[in-house]
């Protein structure tokens, strides 16, 4: 199984330059590493917890999806989807809710912050607290555990939620795993070196401080206007500047090449005017952002292209989620009713009944494939192509031996109109035989 990394993307607000340098750019770069399988999702269910404006939710999802695609996210290498397009997520959330203690939820930072603020204001502790806010960590756990993520890049304020996901996964494994680890225990990946850009006034760039530099919003004109408002000291042209105490230099460093950084510092010490320094920064920014902005504008003008990308991502995500949920339903007892064999003689007679069929074959592209068909000939499961025939054979053997448990990882897709439960039932027939 590849090393899986899962990243949730908040869908409220419009991305700014700090979001790009601190989260979007490093996440996209990391997704290109070999041996890494990356899942990126728009956390739009989470957005409903803190936003009750449907128009804002709709607009933000579109803008953020367009931003990540324009910034270079390669959907042929990653799984990019909307949380709300995966119906398995809310079902898993309920399964996890049923094994999660209230005491654990009482200790969640966001909930405690709300109750502490209410008590300080002389109100009831739970005033204004919704079940969405209270249960947020369980939904986050479902997001992570559904795809067996090994690593989850988060800020330090989110580490507790990863620890909660581990606790819930361990309890579920203990109660229903029957000796098998149904869930992978995730680890928080805190990026210590991630850039935190200063805003126009030198404080951390944040919408709450109203000091952000727009990424694409407002186009080149808005970007130029924002750069012009970056606060600098009062030293005049010709007077030496201190680059080590300038947040303009920090911003410049986040986008410039090493040689450009050195030259910028030297010129500031030699008396470069702040106005000219800002113009250089703008030119460096435009070198990176102008092509992305053009792509962003194209995508925003054709939202159906974004929709297609996200639906294809959802299809890939559900190919992983549906088999795992089928296994989890089986584990907790939500099983299909099957005929109970009353006599050994009847079992023996049934042993001669037709079984589902695996077929291995080689196509004109030179690759090896396998497919699973029901006893009546209906196609259930179709594999991807393998370079070696033995790889296809090994997967067939594993599916026969492990049944539904192997579906979560198998490099194959369900046939149209076929559910993961249908395939699980067919595989169970091999074990019974």
């Amino acid at each position: 199984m590849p090393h899986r990394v899962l990243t949730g993307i908040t869908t409220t607000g419009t991305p700014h330059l700090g979001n790009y340098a601190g989260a979007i750019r490093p996440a996209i770069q990391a997704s290109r590493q070999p041996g890494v399988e990356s899942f990126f999702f728009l956390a739009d269910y989470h957005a409903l917890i803190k936003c009750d404006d449907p128009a804002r939710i709709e607009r933000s999802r579109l803008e953020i999806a367009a931003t990540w695609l324009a910034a270079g996210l390669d959907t042929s290498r990653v799984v990019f989807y909307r949380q709300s397009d995966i119906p398995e997520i809310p079902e898993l959330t309920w399964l996890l809710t049923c094994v999660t203690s209230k005491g654990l939820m009482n200790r969640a930072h966001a909930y405690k912050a709300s109750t502490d603020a209410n008590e300080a204001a002389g109100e009831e502790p739970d005033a204004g607290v919704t079940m969405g806010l209270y249960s947020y960590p369980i939904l986050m756990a479902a997001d992570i555990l559904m795809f067996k993520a090994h690593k989850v890049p988060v800020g330090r304020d989110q580490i507790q939620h990863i620890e909660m996901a581990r606790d819930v996964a361990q309890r579920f494994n203990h109660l229903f795993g029957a000796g098998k680890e149904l869930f992978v225990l995730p680890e928080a990946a805190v990026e210590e070196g991630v850039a935190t850009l200063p805003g126009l006034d030198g404080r951390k760039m944040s919408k709450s401080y109203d000091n952000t530099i727009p990424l694409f919003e407002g186009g080149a004109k808005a970007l130029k206007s924002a750069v012009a408002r970056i606060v600098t000291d009062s030293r005049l042209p010709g007077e030496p500047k201190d680059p080590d105490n300038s947040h303009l230099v920090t911003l410049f460093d986040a986008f410039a090449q090493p040689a450009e950084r050195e030259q910028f510092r030297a010129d500031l010490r030699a008396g470069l005017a702040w106005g000219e320094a800002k113009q250089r920064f703008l030119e460096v920014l435009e070198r990176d952002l102008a092509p992305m902005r053009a792509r962003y504008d194209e995508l925003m003008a054709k939202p159906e292209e974004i929709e297609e990308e996200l639906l294809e991502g959802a299809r890939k995500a559900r190919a992983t989620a549906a088999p795992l949920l089928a296994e989890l339903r089986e584990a907790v007892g939500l099983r299909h009713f099957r005929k109970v064999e009353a006599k050994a003689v009847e079992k023996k007679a049934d042993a001669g009944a037709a079984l589902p069929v695996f077929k291995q074959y080689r196509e004109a592209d030179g690759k090896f494939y396998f497919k699973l068909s029901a006893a009546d000939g209906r196609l259930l499961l179709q594999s991807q192509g393998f370079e070696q025939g033995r790889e296809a054979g090994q997967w067939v053997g594993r599916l026969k031996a492990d049944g539904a448990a192997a579906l979560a990882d198998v490099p194959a897709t369900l046939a149209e109109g076929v559910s993961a439960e249908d395939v699980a039932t067919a595989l169970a027939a091999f074990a019974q035989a």
Side-chain angles (χ1 to χ4, degrees), residues 232-237 239 241 274:
T232 55
D233 61 35
S234 59
R235 295 177 189 178
L236 299 173
E239 289 187 276
K241 280 80 174 176
W274 286 123

Side-chain angles (χ1 to χ4, degrees), residues 25-47:
R25 183 172 63 182
I28 291 175
Q29 290 171 344
S31 72
R32 296 168 181 159
Q33 296 176 359
V36 173
E37 188 176 12
S38 298
F39 286 70
F40 291 87
F41 70 95
L42 301 177
D44 47 2
Y45 277 148
H46 289 291

Side-chain angles (χ1 to χ4, degrees), residues 152-433:
V152 184
V154 292
R156 290 197 169 276
D157 60 329
Q158 293 287 317
I159 292 177
Q160 185 199 43
H161 290 151
I162 309 303
E163 293 172 346
M164 286 181 163
R166 289 174 61 90
D167 290 344
V168 174
Q170 286 176 318
R171 178 164 176 78
F172 197 99
N173 285 343
H174 173 72
L175 290 174
F176 303 113
K180 180 182 178 181
E181 298 297 305
L182 295 168
F183 293 124
V184 168
L185 302 187
E187 294 182 6
V190 180
E191 298 290 344
E192 300 291 356
V194 167
T196 300
L197 293 189
L200 301 178
D201 56 4
R203 293 181 294 175
K204 176 184 175 182
M205 192 178 295
S206 170
K207 290 185 178 67
S208 61
Y209 295 148
D210 193 26
N211 68 350
T212 61
I213 297 175
L215 186 58
F216 302 134
E217 188 179 23
K221 183 177 180 181
L223 182 64
K224 182 177 181 179
S225 175
V227 170
R229 298 197 309 275
I230 296 173
V231 175
T232 55
D233 61 35
S234 59
R235 295 177 189 178
L236 299 173
E239 289 187 276
K241 280 80 174 176
D242 181 6
D244 295 329
N245 288 307
S246 168
H247 53 274
L248 174 61
V249 174
T250 303
L251 288 163
F252 186 90
D253 285 351
F255 294 90
Q257 299 300 319
E260 293 172 325
R261 297 172 192 166
E262 291 301 320
Q263 188 63 52
F264 193 58
R265 282 171 164 74
D267 290 345
L268 284 170
R269 293 188 183 100
L272 180 70
W274 286 123
E276 188 176 344
K278 291 178 181 180
Q279 180 59 34
R280 284 199 202 175
F281 174 47
L282 181 62
E283 291 170 0
V284 167
L285 276 181
E286 280 292 276
R287 181 179 63 199
D288 285 357
L289 300 189
M292 291 190 285
R293 187 191 306 121
R295 177 59 179 152
Y296 175 82
D297 291 341
E298 289 177 4
L299 289 166
M300 291 297 290
K302 297 180 179 178
E304 65 274 13
E305 291 187 13
I306 302 176
E307 184 72 14
E308 290 175 7
E309 291 276 17
L310 290 169
L311 290 179
E312 173 60 17
R315 187 195 65 77
K316 292 194 289 186
R318 295 196 66 195
T320 298
L324 176 59
L325 188 62
E327 183 182 7
L328 298 177
R329 289 172 64 93
E330 186 82 10
V332 301
L334 303 179
R335 302 163 184 161
H336 291 296
F337 296 142
R338 301 181 179 93
K339 181 180 179 180
V340 178
E341 304 295 349
K343 301 177 183 178
V345 174
E346 292 176 356
K347 283 189 177 182
K348 185 175 180 180
D350 286 345
L355 289 173
V357 176
F358 275 106
K359 180 181 178 183
Q360 293 177 239
Y361 56 96
R362 190 175 189 179
E363 285 284 15
D365 60 5
K367 293 186 178 182
F368 296 85
Y369 297 80
F370 71 80
K371 62 183 178 181
L372 173 64
S373 300
D376 61 5
R378 182 169 57 105
L379 179 63
L380 301 176
L381 191 69
Q382 174 63 60
S383 81
Q384 68 174 36
F386 299 93
E387 297 299 330
Q388 303 292 330
R390 59 184 174 80
E391 295 180 81
Q394 287 169 350
W395 272 109
V396 170
R398 182 175 170 186
L399 287 165
K400 286 183 176 180
D402 297 346
L407 286 177
D409 301 324
V410 65
T413 56
L414 301 175
E416 184 176 355
V418 173
S419 69
E421 288 84 355
D422 294 334
V423 179
T425 301
L427 292 174
F430 289 103
Q432 293 168 1

Side-chain angles (χ1 to χ4, degrees), residues 26-222:
I28 291 175
Q29 290 171 344
S31 72
R32 296 168 181 159
Q33 296 176 359
V36 173
E37 188 176 12
S38 298
F39 286 70
F40 291 87
F41 70 95
L42 301 177
D44 47 2
Y45 277 148
H46 289 291
L48 299 177
I49 295 171
K50 49 189 175 183
C51 181
D52 58 5
D53 181 351
R56 183 183 175 191
I57 292 288
E58 179 184 26
R59 181 70 180 178
S60 182
R61 293 197 312 166
L62 178 64
E63 291 177 344
I64 291 171
T67 296
W68 280 78
L69 292 171
L73 186 66
D74 184 354
T75 55
S76 69
R77 292 180 56 91
V78 307
V79 182
F80 183 47
Y81 59 98
R82 282 176 298 223
Q83 183 186 37
S84 59
D85 284 335
I86 315 299
E88 291 81 6
I89 292 293
E91 184 169 351
L92 176 56
T93 300
W94 180 249
L95 296 183
L96 299 180
T97 299
C98 292
V99 302
T100 302
S101 70
K102 181 175 180 291
L104 181 64
M105 291 297 96
N106 289 343
R107 296 191 291 274
H109 293 327
Y111 174 64
K112 283 184 60 64
S114 295
T115 57
D116 289 347
N118 285 336
E119 290 175 351
E123 300 182 10
E124 288 293 321
D126 288 326
V129 175
T130 66
M131 286 306 298
L133 172 66
Y134 186 72
S135 303
Y136 166 87
I138 308 178
L139 176 57
M140 184 170 173
D143 293 326
I144 297 165
L145 300 177
M146 184 90 265
F147 299 103
K148 297 189 175 182
H150 300 97
K151 297 283 187 181
V152 184
V154 292
R156 290 197 169 276
D157 60 329
Q158 293 287 317
I159 292 177
Q160 185 199 43
H161 290 151
I162 309 303
E163 293 172 346
M164 286 181 163
R166 289 174 61 90
D167 290 344
V168 174
Q170 286 176 318
R171 178 164 176 78
F172 197 99
N173 285 343
H174 173 72
L175 290 174
F176 303 113
K180 180 182 178 181
E181 298 297 305
L182 295 168
F183 293 124
V184 168
L185 302 187
E187 294 182 6
V190 180
E191 298 290 344
E192 300 291 356
V194 167
T196 300
L197 293 189
L200 301 178
D201 56 4
R203 293 181 294 175
K204 176 184 175 182
M205 192 178 295
S206 170
K207 290 185 178 67
S208 61
Y209 295 148
D210 193 26
N211 68 350
T212 61
I213 297 175
L215 186 58
F216 302 134
E217 188 179 23
K221 183 177 180 181

